[in-house]
Amino acid sequence: MKTTIHIKQLIFGLSVLAASTSFTGYAMPKVEQVQQQLVIQTSVMDNDNYKTQANTKMYPAPKENMMQHILTLPKLNDESQYLIEIQIGQNKLVDCNKMHLMGDIHTLTLEGWGYPYYQVDSIIQGPSTKMMCTEAKKAQFISLNNTITQEYDSRLAKVFYLPKDAQLRYRIWRAASEFTFSD
């Protein structure tokens, strides 16, 4: 009886996996992480070491206890084939429990220019499971639930204002195939 239930669960899991793989092959273009290393210029400044840069001089200086993170993307031949994924969070010592952070990512517009930038005013620890853990704690990046995914655009720097204890990480994705029609 127990084996029959296990086999049914295994068959159901495999059928879901097969269905999802075939669905993604036809409904959405495949996307893969870029293997070649693009050199993305990054700058991180607080209000004490703030220096204006030519491509971001119109943005305000970071406020007290805030950091300005600037990502400057290199120009690519066909930028429509690329995406940038950005996560904001913190490195924490965690055990086996699932930990979450809470904070709002505000999309703001630079007055008079119309350029977007992002701001997180505060990050606090959110809910966590309460399991008994026997393994040692390890360092892990915990991100806010909001991931920012944008089309790759090297014409304008990506500017973020984050609390001093927050970190920003990013990765570049490239389409691996052309669009396929569903019929």
Side-chain angles (χ1 to χ4, degrees), residues 124-158:
I124 59 173
Q125 185 163 337
S128 173
T129 59
K130 300 289 183 189
M131 298 184 294
M132 185 179 97
C133 302
T134 57
E135 293 133 17
K137 291 185 176 187
K138 59 183 177 184
Q140 183 178 348
F141 182 81
I142 309 295
S143 67
L144 295 175
N145 286 340
N146 307 19
T147 296
I148 301 169
T149 304
Q150 299 178 339
E151 292 181 6
Y152 190 100
D153 186 1
S154 63
R155 297 174 294 170
L156 190 60
K158 312 290 185 218

Side-chain angles (χ1 to χ4, degrees), residues 41-129:
Q41 291 181 323
T42 60
S43 301
V44 179
M45 296 175 276
D46 62 10
N47 61 344
D48 294 332
N49 69 355
Y50 178 74
K51 294 180 183 140
T52 58
Q53 298 177 5
N55 61 343
T56 58
K57 63 184 173 190
M58 66 288 289
Y59 291 95
K63 296 177 183 169
E64 188 71 28
N65 294 322
M66 297 290 277
M67 301 289 282
Q68 182 187 49
H69 296 253
I70 301 170
L71 301 178
T72 306
L73 306 176
K75 183 155 180 53
L76 299 174
N77 289 336
D78 187 5
E79 293 184 358
S80 67
Q81 296 293 312
Y82 294 84
L83 296 173
I84 182 167
E85 177 185 4
I86 300 161
Q87 293 182 338
I88 298 168
Q90 296 174 333
N91 274 322
K92 298 267 191 191
L93 279 176
V94 296
D95 52 20
C96 67
N97 287 294
K98 300 292 182 199
M99 178 191 254
H100 298 281
L101 296 176
M102 295 188 333
D104 293 323
I105 302 173
H106 302 284
T107 304
L108 305 170
T109 304
L110 189 59
E111 190 72 32
W113 292 82
Y115 297 158
Y117 65 96
Y118 304 89
Q119 182 171 319
V120 176
D121 295 320
S122 65
I123 296 176
I124 59 173
Q125 185 163 337
S128 173
T129 59

Side-chain angles (χ1 to χ4, degrees), residues 3-21:
T3 308
T4 306
I5 294 171
H6 181 66
I7 291 173
K8 286 181 182 177
Q9 290 173 342
L10 181 61
I11 291 171
F12 176 74
L14 289 173
S15 64
V16 168
L17 178 63
S20 66
T21 328

